[in-house]
Amino acid sequence: PSLYIPFFNVELAMPWVVYMIFAAFVMVATVNAVNLTDGIDGLATGVTIPVALFYVAVSAWFNRSDLTVVSAALAGGLSAFLIYNFHPAKVFMGDTGSMFFGGLVTALAFVMDRPELVLFFGIVYIWDAITVVIQRVYFKLTHGKRIFKMTPIHHAFEMRGWREVKIDGFFALIAAVGVALGILYICLV
């Protein structure tokens, strides 16, 4: 059990118990972040498709055909689901689906022994979750004041008048940028 620290080119050897605690924290945090992202029609699905395609590319790069198949199946299933989940949604994902996707994309990072990839593919998930944490802490410290109109951040965009389709596209674009940075990172490391 070792953890590679990106950008510093350091591999940190960890006791097995500490690594398991770290892995549990990352998995629970990512699962909940994906669940928070599932707040409007098609958002979690549209953001997770580029992530699944990222895993197809990275697992093929690492010659992991087993993970390539799982990632491609995830991308295909999400693409088919998005037809019915896009605004106005006819089918809803719910907690069970979003938590499954969060667990799967995080598990893929750990199976590839590259948990730092969560920083790249999960840029939208992390952004959504961090806005909730910031809002909550600030609200408690200031006894009721807010930084954002509403959290997770995609709801703040809604309150500014953005349509759900525009938010979906914008967040999918950010996810694609995170994927591109992740692929660049993989190529450089």
Side-chain angles (χ1 to χ4, degrees):
S2 61
L3 180 64
Y4 179 77
I5 310 295
F7 309 113
F8 295 103
N9 202 20
V10 174
E11 191 147 342
L12 180 66
M14 303 170 83
W16 183 253
V17 174
V18 174
Y19 186 79
M20 293 306 289
I21 292 169
F22 164 76
F25 174 78
V26 170
M27 286 185 192
V28 168
T30 307
V31 164
N32 284 304
V34 174
N35 190 29
L36 288 171
T37 305
D38 185 34
I40 60 175
D41 295 347
L43 184 60
T45 309
V47 167
T48 307
I49 289 172
V51 171
L53 294 173
F54 166 76
Y55 275 124
V56 169
V58 171
S59 58
W61 178 279
F62 290 143
N63 293 321
R64 295 291 307 265
S65 59
D66 54 341
L67 300 181
T68 305
V69 170
V70 170
S71 305
L74 175 63
L78 285 169
S79 298
F81 178 69
L82 185 60
I83 294 168
Y84 298 100
N85 186 242
F86 200 70
H87 181 74
K90 295 163 199 67
V91 177
F92 299 96
M93 184 181 306
D95 290 350
T96 304
S98 62
M99 289 183 162
F100 169 76
F101 294 137
L104 183 58
V105 296
T106 307
L108 285 168
F110 277 97
V111 168
M112 281 192 249
D113 201 27
R114 302 303 294 264
E116 74 273 10
L117 294 176
V118 173
L119 298 172
F120 298 103
F121 78 69
I123 191 167
V124 172
Y125 310 137
I126 294 167
W127 183 31
D128 253 1
I130 284 178
T131 59
V132 172
V133 171
I134 290 169
Q135 182 90 319
R136 191 89 173 123
V137 169
Y138 188 77
F139 187 84
K140 291 285 186 183
L141 291 175
T142 61
H143 305 291
K145 293 183 181 174
R146 301 174 193 276
I147 294 176
F148 306 104
K149 286 188 175 202
M150 191 175 187
T151 58
I153 194 71
H154 58 264
H155 290 306
F157 285 108
E158 254 186 320
M159 293 187 80
R160 292 187 182 273
W162 286 33
R163 295 183 344 261
E164 288 187 20
V165 175
K166 184 177 180 180
I167 296 169
D168 289 347
F170 179 65
F171 278 61
L173 179 64
I174 292 171
V177 168
V179 164
L181 291 173
I183 290 173
L184 180 65
Y185 166 76
I186 291 294
C187 292
L188 293 175
V189 172

